[in-house]
Amino acid sequence: MERARRDPEAFGELYLRYVRSIYNYIFYRTGDPEEAEDLTSRVFLQALQHLPRFQERGLPFAAWLFRIAHNLVANWHRDRQRHPVLPLSENGHDRSPERVEAALERQEERERLLKAIRRLPPDRQQLLILKFVEGLSNAEIARIMGRTEGAIRVLYHRTLEALRKELTREHPG
Amino acid sequence: MPDLAYWLELHAMRLRQGFRGEAAYPLPPLAFSPPERELFQLAERLTEALRPVEPRPVWVASLYERLMEEARPPRCFPAPSRPSRWWLGVVLGTAALGVWAYRRLHATRH
């Protein structure tokens, strides 16, 4: 980290280590691969710009990156509420009709779940992404989110309860 | 008896290890009530839905290049050295003296 402040190559190493995690986090928060690329770029450009001010006061570099990403995604959602746009396609990639038909049912189920996740409060979304996409332990998630391990365990339980209610509300019975 | 949050945590760990269905439960499923079992099933659905996605390698590489470009110190033009400043002063001084002398000569002729 100290080396990254003086040496561009060292910052490049940090970038290569965390780019996938930050991209995944933003992808699942936005549901849009192009926006995920754009916002991930902004995360690392901001991190580079503010690197001299970053001090490791118990906050690891990954946690700092996730906080920048979290703030950028929050701004992105706020801007979209002001200027809503209609998506051109669900996932941005073309597929043959046969493959679409075969995957449709599974895809619909997944989309329904992902949409329900995106309606949860941001901290609960973050917890699910760090736990399931990144496969992080509660200790690691606690450091990133600035909470205790016990608080993360309780938050996970409450998040599952909230998600179940969200899915039931959408499709009662 | 540990609370449900504890069992859900153990279940999540077993899901991460690759267990699915009843095999992922920390206790026999009947030890839990139907609403509790729904939470275990939901966690399993999340495991299937929230899979890591790979960013485009071309994009990863191009952002790397851009960051390296930004990270490099900006190029500066070298500041004029002391002797060249001295010579610049001599040239400007001589030119100013020349103009003054020319004007003075011109003024005396008229």
Side-chain angles (χ1 to χ4, degrees):
Chain A
M1 189 60 230
E2 216 23 73
R3 201 161 61 87
R5 284 177 214 205
R6 299 183 302 271
D7 179 9
E9 300 295 326
F11 185 81
E13 285 171 27
L14 288 173
Y15 162 75
L16 291 174
R17 193 189 304 167
Y18 294 115
V19 63
R20 192 172 152 274
S21 301
I22 297 297
Y23 175 87
N24 266 275
Y25 173 72
I26 297 175
F27 173 78
Y28 278 107
R29 290 289 313 274
T30 61
D32 185 327
E34 285 176 17
E35 294 291 349
E37 286 185 358
D38 182 42
L39 290 171
T40 306
S41 304
R42 285 201 241 165
V43 169
F44 283 97
L45 285 165
Q46 274 197 23
L48 181 64
Q49 198 183 346
H50 297 129
L51 200 59
R53 278 193 266 158
F54 172 75
Q55 291 189 335
E56 280 185 77
R57 294 183 188 134
L59 185 73
F61 185 67
W64 187 53
L65 286 179
F66 275 110
R67 284 192 188 176
I68 298 174
H70 179 82
N71 291 336
L72 285 174
V73 170
N75 290 343
W76 181 82
H77 279 294
R78 194 191 56 208
D79 291 345
R80 265 175 73 98
Q81 278 170 358
R82 284 183 193 159
H83 312 286
V85 274
L86 292 172
L88 290 173
S89 66
E90 272 300 303
N91 57 11
H93 301 289
D94 290 328
R95 287 177 172 191
S96 66
E98 295 80 17
R99 289 182 70 184
V100 168
E101 201 173 341
L104 194 60
E105 200 174 326
R106 207 172 54 231
Q107 185 64 22
E108 276 179 3
E109 160 72 18
R110 185 169 180 262
E111 282 299 321
R112 198 164 71 86
L113 189 55
L114 293 178
K115 279 179 185 166
I117 291 170
R118 284 187 207 114
R119 288 196 295 271
L120 294 174
D123 61 335
R124 294 181 176 190
Q125 291 185 48
Q126 186 175 20
L127 168 66
L128 292 180
I129 294 166
L130 294 177
K131 201 173 189 67
F132 288 97
V133 181
E134 294 302 314
L136 298 184
S137 68
N138 277 2
E140 290 167 312
I141 296 172
R143 287 192 79 192
I144 288 172
M145 293 181 71
R147 300 186 187 199
T148 63
E149 275 189 70
I152 295 297
R153 202 175 69 187
V154 172
L155 184 65
Y156 174 54
H157 180 192
R158 288 182 184 161
T159 301
L160 288 179
E161 292 274 14
L163 190 58
R164 182 179 57 179
K165 277 184 194 153
E166 194 63 47
L167 290 164
T168 314
R169 195 166 58 86
E170 194 189 340
H171 285 271
Chain B
M1 177 77 175
D3 61 359
L4 184 60
Y6 172 82
W7 296 121
L8 286 168
E9 198 52 52
L10 277 187
H11 180 248
M13 279 171 62
R14 291 177 68 79
L15 287 173
R16 269 205 297 279
Q17 289 164 355
F19 292 100
R20 294 291 182 269
E22 286 190 18
Y25 275 70
L27 294 175
L30 285 175
F32 300 99
S33 68
E36 287 173 344
R37 285 204 295 271
E38 277 181 34
L39 296 185
F40 288 106
Q41 286 158 9
L42 182 55
E44 187 163 333
R45 282 170 64 194
L46 285 171
T47 309
E48 299 303 323
L50 292 173
R51 288 190 173 164
V53 287
E54 282 298 326
R56 292 183 303 125
V58 175
W59 169 79
V60 173
S62 72
L63 180 56
Y64 181 87
E65 288 301 318
R66 191 176 161 199
L67 287 167
M68 290 300 97
E69 196 63 39
E70 295 272 338
R72 279 183 204 114
R75 286 181 200 159
C76 313
F77 291 106
S81 59
R82 274 181 190 281
S84 68
R85 271 190 208 159
W86 189 86
W87 280 111
L88 187 67
V90 168
V91 168
L92 288 174
T94 309
L97 195 66
V99 169
W100 175 79
Y102 173 79
R103 280 189 180 165
R104 190 178 167 83
L105 187 65
H106 202 64
T108 51
R109 278 188 185 168
H110 292 282

